[in-house]
Amino acid sequence: QIATLIKESRANIVINQPIYKMTFRTVSISGRPANIADAIMNIQQIMEDRYNEVSKIEFECKPLNVKTTQTNVKLIVDRKIADGLTSKKQPNMIDILQDEYSVALKIYQDRKNRQLDHKDYICSFQGTIEHVQAAILEVTRKIKNDIRTIFDGKKSYTIRMLINKVFVTKLIGAGGCMIQEIANFSKGASIKIMSNKHDEKKSTCHDIPVCIGGSFCSVQDATCIIIEQMECFKNGGPVSYIYYNAI
């Protein structure tokens, strides 16, 4: 049916991956304005024709509550960044994050994950989505302030996040449309999954690295959106997009 719609409208139509417990899915339509309009009219007609065949079509999941939903986010940081966070200088960065944002924070190495370098450390944040996002923003601000000193003048830094490989295809979306939507919303962040299907089948590790690059503002936005999206995959409910630069 999708192939027929594409042929008739001459527009590119991509249906996004379903999200667990959600009744709605996103549809991406691109092409010339007239072709997009034709595709929308054809899809609308199909939905109207099939309306009575679908039970509870008006049901909509409640938005994810970022103030109460718990999450556990794992960032990959360079050893020099980890040393800066665990420095015994007062005030200690870990103590500040735990006290100010009410998150449980641990920094450690995972030798079992072959996709990580020996210089890589995992920075694990646990708490509500809102508090974890705020704590991660604080860490990225520290990285931004220290980056030139730590890395000899380097002006940009890529955030790497570990996500469960179960959610990799969902994060990518059909034809890469979900990653593209997140990249566009975050003003041009570059998002790359650091694995392939062959590696995933051979690997016994459950976590896959995701690299988020670009300006610090776009990296912060994309990171926060992905954190929210991961919980939506687990719990259901739509993503409530927010601009995070004001935080």
Side-chain angles (χ1 to χ4, degrees):
Q1 185 163 259
I2 295 173
T4 301
L5 286 168
I6 291 172
K7 185 177 180 180
E8 291 176 351
S9 66
R10 296 183 180 179
N12 183 37
I13 304 170
V14 177
I15 311 296
N16 203 354
Q17 292 285 342
I19 297 176
Y20 180 58
K21 292 184 179 179
M22 278 187 66
T23 57
F24 292 95
R25 293 168 67 173
T26 62
V27 180
S28 176
I29 306 173
S30 59
R32 294 183 177 181
N35 296 341
I36 291 174
D38 287 342
I40 292 172
M41 286 191 293
N42 291 343
I43 291 171
Q44 186 66 32
Q45 186 61 54
I46 291 171
M47 290 193 295
E48 289 179 1
D49 292 343
R50 299 193 61 190
Y51 180 86
N52 294 327
E53 300 174 23
V54 184
S55 62
K56 297 181 180 180
I57 197 167
E58 297 297 333
F59 173 77
E60 184 175 359
C61 295
K62 293 180 179 179
L64 198 67
N65 190 336
V66 297
K67 294 182 181 295
T68 58
T69 303
Q70 295 286 317
T71 188
N72 183 9
V73 178
K74 298 176 182 178
L75 297 186
I76 307 168
V77 297
D78 185 272
R79 182 174 59 197
K80 293 181 180 179
I81 298 295
D83 290 343
L85 294 174
T86 57
S87 173
K88 294 181 180 180
K89 293 181 180 179
Q90 295 299 327
N92 184 281
M93 188 64 179
I94 291 181
D95 292 338
I96 292 173
L97 292 172
Q98 292 186 145
D99 293 342
E100 188 170 344
Y101 300 109
S102 302
V103 295
L105 181 60
K106 292 193 298 184
I107 297 179
Y108 59 95
Q109 283 189 294
D110 184 0
R111 298 294 189 186
K112 294 181 180 179
N113 193 330
R114 295 183 180 180
Q115 298 186 72
L116 300 181
D117 190 81
H118 69 281
K119 294 181 180 179
D120 289 334
Y121 281 73
I122 294 174
C123 188
S124 172
F125 301 80
Q126 189 164 4
T128 65
I129 293 176
E130 182 181 54
H131 288 158
V132 166
Q133 287 171 333
I136 288 176
L137 290 178
E138 192 63 42
V139 169
T140 58
R141 286 192 192 102
K142 178 174 175 56
I143 292 171
K144 181 180 180 180
N145 292 333
D146 297 346
I147 199 81
R148 293 185 180 181
T149 303
I150 296 175
F151 294 100
D152 299 324
K154 188 176 179 182
K155 296 180 180 180
S156 62
Y157 186 76
T158 301
I159 291 293
R160 291 177 295 160
M161 180 188 301
L162 287 173
I163 66 170
N164 193 298
K165 63 183 180 182
V166 172
F167 302 124
V168 168
T169 55
K170 291 187 176 184
L171 179 63
I172 294 171
C177 61
M178 179 168 284
I179 275 188
Q180 189 58 53
E181 284 181 14
I182 296 173
N184 292 341
F185 189 86
S186 57
K187 308 177 193 69
S190 170
I191 306 169
K192 296 180 180 179
I193 310 295
M194 305 306 291
S195 70
N196 56 50
K197 291 182 179 180
H198 180 70
D199 290 337
E200 288 178 31
K201 289 179 181 179
K202 289 179 65 178
S203 176
T204 57
C205 186
H206 296 294
D207 294 327
I208 304 295
V210 175
C211 289
I212 308 166
S215 70
F216 273 94
C217 289
S218 62
V219 167
Q220 285 178 334
D221 282 352
T223 301
C224 288
I225 293 169
I226 290 173
I227 290 170
E228 228 171 286
Q229 188 62 67
M230 288 301 101
E231 292 308 317
C232 283
F233 289 148
K234 299 174 190 175
N235 302 298
V239 181
S240 54
Y241 287 139
I242 302 171
Y243 284 100
Y244 294 97
N245 291 335
I247 297 178

